[in-house]
Amino acid sequence: MARILVIDDEPNMRRILTLILEESGHTVAEAAGVTSALTELRSNQFDLVICDKKMPDGDGFDVLRYCRENEPS
């Protein structure tokens, strides 16, 4: 199954998504914002990133930009 990063500043939304994905057999990591997401992305590889658009420390486009620049595939 896939290794997925879930990024959302709302803990309940992040946890619900994580539970659903784990029940489907995926390995899931969580990040509470852009800063922690970039830390995860620098140290781990993911097959999929699910990201909230607006967060206090940036937005989903910051994460997308990082992914495209550092892991274009």
Side-chain angles (χ1 to χ4, degrees):
M1 290 290 166
R3 181 157 168 73
I4 302 171
L5 176 61
V6 174
I7 311 163
D8 199 313
D9 58 319
E10 295 180 34
N12 289 335
M13 180 60 74
R14 197 171 59 241
R15 192 69 201 137
I16 289 168
L17 285 170
T18 297
L19 288 172
I20 291 168
L21 293 166
E22 286 177 340
E23 284 178 2
S24 296
H26 301 290
T27 301
V28 182
E30 298 181 27
V34 173
T35 304
S36 58
L38 294 179
T39 300
E40 283 287 331
L41 288 165
R42 286 183 187 112
S43 58
N44 299 294
Q45 285 192 316
F46 296 95
D47 301 305
L48 176 68
V49 175
I50 299 174
C51 186
D52 191 7
K53 184 179 175 194
K54 294 178 87 173
M55 293 172 279
D57 62 343
D59 63 36
F61 293 111
D62 297 327
V63 175
L64 177 61
R65 220 174 343 271
Y66 177 86
C67 290
R68 291 190 73 186
E69 291 171 1
N70 295 284
E71 187 63 46
S73 62

